[in-house]
Amino acid sequence: MSRHKRKLTRGRAIAAASAALALTGAGIATNILLSPAGAASTWPEAKGSKAVSSTVKVTGTYDGGLKRHYGSGALGGGGQEEGQDPVFQLADGAVLKNVIIGSPAADGVHCLGSCTIQNVWWEDVGEDAASFKGKSASSVYKVYGGGARKASDKVLQFNGAGKLVVSKFQVTDFGKLVGSCGNCSTQYKRTIIINDVDLTAPGKSVVGINTNYGDTAALRNVRIHGDSSRKMETCARFTGNDNGDEPVRTGVGPDGTYCKFTAGDITYK
């Protein structure tokens, strides 16, 4: 599973994992109060616009006040080329909230360690909406509320170590909601929890994981819209590698070990 539809394969295969705990209080435990924006909400209207010509580096909390931020100058690309800089770079423990990322979106948001992305909306995903790059197994990345549109491949890219929790998020016209690197030079065990999300076709898959690295993915309260033929895959399993080769696909669907969910956790509307 390649990172994107591109020639370069600095891939990020599919992945990520998690013990299937319900996402309530403790599941998204944080000392930051999270607002109720989420999967059921409508897309917000931008309250002004702001051109971003160089990466905004965030420590602490950045509240964008629902202003549209879009790339300009060196960040003016919106394609799928590898190696683009992000619009926002979050330091370990940082919070990004109430932001609309317009087009061009470059490489969206990078989390260098644990982070919270709250009520952030991508109108036209560039390379990826957000990438998670922490190197510690204790890193926790939270995506709460918000949504994304027009992602030709992955929306949330999991390259680092730790746990990714996605809740109350909505996505439409996309390749994969969550994918982790299947052929990065450094690989990790990754845990993904996806709970209370809405996915609207066209879309290829919800999540993928590298079973040989011990990844797990837990799906709860996943609602798929506009896919009466049920072509959208739920949880794809791969054998990843660290040498740049394309990962080998080994299966799809719940298996009780790596893809942790049941048919009742997926609703088609």
Side-chain angles (χ1 to χ4, degrees):
M1 172 191 106
S2 62
R3 184 176 173 229
H4 283 298
K5 302 187 273 188
R6 322 174 182 128
K7 298 177 182 178
L8 297 178
T9 55
R10 178 197 127 294
R12 307 140 97 132
I14 278 181
S18 167
L21 293 174
L23 263 194
T24 53
I28 161 181
T30 177
N31 56 6
I32 292 157
L33 181 62
L34 296 179
S35 71
S41 60
T42 58
W43 277 69
E45 291 187 12
K47 298 180 179 180
S49 293
K50 180 177 181 179
V52 179
S53 59
S54 61
T55 299
V56 178
K57 296 183 178 181
V58 180
T59 58
T61 298
Y62 183 101
D63 188 333
L66 285 179
K67 183 175 291 186
R68 177 182 292 110
H69 294 63
Y70 63 93
S72 67
L75 295 179
Q80 294 298 305
E81 298 80 11
E82 293 280 1
Q84 296 182 59
D85 289 330
V87 178
F88 292 96
Q89 177 180 286
L90 308 187
D92 187 25
V95 178
L96 178 68
K97 65 180 184 177
N98 302 324
V99 169
I100 296 173
I101 298 181
S103 180
D107 199 25
V109 179
H110 286 184
C111 284
L112 303 185
S114 295
C115 67
T116 297
I117 299 174
Q118 176 192 342
N119 196 33
V120 174
W121 304 82
W122 290 263
E123 294 179 326
D124 188 345
V125 174
E127 186 180 354
D128 297 304
S131 299
F132 307 98
K133 299 171 173 286
K135 297 180 180 180
S136 171
S138 62
S139 294
V140 178
Y141 320 95
K142 305 181 186 77
V143 178
Y144 187 84
R149 295 171 173 161
K150 302 178 183 179
S152 64
D153 193 25
K154 287 178 279 294
V155 177
L156 304 175
Q157 177 64 48
F158 201 173
N159 287 351
K163 177 192 293 184
L164 170 62
V165 179
V166 183
S167 181
K168 298 188 181 301
F169 193 77
Q170 57 180 292
V171 61
T172 184
D173 190 6
F174 64 103
K176 305 168 190 70
L177 173 57
V178 179
S180 84
C181 189
N183 53 11
C184 283
S185 58
T186 302
Q187 292 285 27
Y188 305 94
K189 175 181 179 179
R190 301 177 180 114
T191 296
I192 296 176
I193 298 174
I194 298 175
N195 180 74
D196 191 14
V197 299
D198 287 274
L199 300 91
T200 301
K204 294 179 180 178
S205 62
V206 180
V207 65
I209 55 176
N210 299 311
T211 58
N212 57 314
Y213 295 118
D215 292 353
T216 59
L219 276 57
R220 297 289 181 269
N221 303 314
V222 173
R223 296 171 293 275
I224 297 177
H225 304 261
D227 185 29
S228 58
S229 59
R230 303 192 178 189
K231 292 182 178 179
M232 192 183 301
E233 294 183 343
T234 50
C235 180
R237 299 185 294 277
F238 291 78
T239 297
N241 63 76
D242 58 6
N243 58 17
D245 291 341
E246 286 300 303
V248 177
R249 182 186 177 93
T250 59
V252 65
D255 65 355
T257 302
Y258 303 104
C259 294
K260 298 183 176 184
F261 63 99
T262 67
D265 293 308
I266 312 295
T267 303
Y268 291 85
K269 295 180 175 290

